[in-house]
């Protein structure tokens, strides 16, 4: 019963819907800030949420994007790329 989702061997395109900030607090109450990127896939309409710097979205890509820009994820990878 596996294989119900998209295979990593298939690429997809999406539109940036939101750029934002998130905050975490450690045990001592110290705050850390991280950047987030939300996209909506064109093939199935699903929203995906990424944290910048965790492998899928680089800081350079994040800085070059604005809401409404198109990104792609090529077949066989998990990294996003601006179109």
């Amino acid at each position: 019963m596996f294989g119900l989702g998209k295979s990593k061997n298939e690429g997809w395109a999406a539109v940036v819907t939101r750029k934002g900030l998130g905050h975490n607090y450690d045990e001592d109450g110290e705050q850390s800030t991280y950047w987030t990127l939300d996209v909506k896939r064109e093939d199935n309409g699903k929203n995906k949420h990424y944290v910048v710097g965790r492998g899928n979205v680089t800081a350079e890509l994040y800085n070059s994007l604005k809401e409404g820009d198109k990104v792609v994820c090529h077949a066989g990878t998990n990294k996003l790329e601006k179109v």
Side-chain angles (χ1 to χ4, degrees):
M1 282 286 163
F2 294 105
L4 297 177
K6 274 251 187 220
S7 167
K8 281 187 179 181
N9 293 328
E10 297 180 41
W12 49 267
V15 175
V16 175
T17 57
R18 182 177 177 273
K19 289 175 64 173
L21 288 174
H23 304 284
N24 280 336
Y25 296 90
D26 66 10
E27 300 155 353
D28 299 326
E30 297 281 329
Q31 178 181 336
S32 62
T33 302
Y34 57 92
W35 292 267
T36 62
L37 182 71
D38 295 338
V39 300
K40 185 173 185 175
R41 288 180 53 162
E42 292 180 342
D43 59 347
N44 60 16
K46 290 186 179 180
N47 294 313
K48 295 189 69 73
H49 179 79
Y50 294 100
V51 175
V52 176
R54 294 217 179 137
N56 298 330
V57 179
T58 64
E60 293 81 19
L61 175 63
Y62 179 83
N63 289 332
S64 72
L65 292 171
K66 62 181 189 254
E67 291 180 13
D69 283 349
K70 190 172 180 180
V71 294
V72 294
C73 181
H74 294 290
T77 70
N78 288 328
K79 294 185 185 262
L80 295 182
E81 188 177 293
K82 185 176 180 179
V83 176

